[in-house]
Amino acid sequence: MKKLLTLLLVTFLLLTSTFVLSASAANTANGTQIFSAHCAGCHINGGNIIRRGKNLKKQALKKYGMDSIEAVKSIVTNGKNNMSAYKDRLSEQEIQDVAAYVLEQAEKNWH
């Protein structure tokens, strides 16, 4: 009985983690499209054509406290200084997706 419960638990955990990974991949894939359509004009390859230092590279995100999903979602939603707000143009899910994409790309150094 103990082995059966262990086997069921392991199976459940494997299925759950596979689902979570698939959902994450789908979100960043959607985030890629959103970024291309709404963000790449100013932030091509994680840069910033308006203010060079305020780019989307890992070091800059960390320096300015923008290295969490919540922080990126907040600036995409509400904007700041020259950055436009997207709360009226993107859904909450789209904002979540593009924020996940930005952080993923920052980890990869935008390659």
Side-chain angles (χ1 to χ4, degrees):
M1 185 61 141
K2 200 174 191 180
K3 287 183 181 183
L4 179 60
L5 287 174
T6 302
L7 180 61
L8 288 172
L9 179 61
V10 168
T11 303
F12 174 76
L13 291 174
L14 286 173
L15 290 173
T16 304
S17 65
T18 301
F19 175 76
V20 169
L21 289 174
S22 297
S24 295
N27 289 345
T28 55
N30 189 40
T32 302
Q33 294 175 343
I34 295 163
F35 187 88
S36 293
H38 296 279
C39 313
C42 292
H43 293 290
I44 190 141
N45 296 322
N48 186 330
I49 65 167
I50 297 169
R51 295 190 64 193
R52 281 192 243 200
K54 299 273 182 140
N55 57 56
L56 303 177
K57 308 290 175 135
K58 186 176 180 178
Q59 184 177 0
L61 292 175
K62 188 171 185 149
K63 177 180 179 180
Y64 296 108
M66 299 304 295
D67 57 342
S68 70
I69 195 83
E70 294 80 18
V72 177
K73 282 173 43 179
S74 177
I75 200 163
V76 172
T77 301
N78 303 307
K80 185 175 180 182
N81 299 328
N82 293 333
M83 169 77 184
S84 299
Y86 284 84
K87 64 183 168 199
D88 295 333
R89 293 181 250 180
L90 299 174
S91 70
E92 286 183 37
Q93 184 61 55
E94 289 171 323
I95 291 170
Q96 171 79 26
D97 294 349
V98 78
Y101 171 76
V102 165
L103 292 175
E104 178 184 86
Q105 291 305 302
E107 283 297 321
K108 296 177 182 178
N109 201 26
W110 289 88
H111 292 285

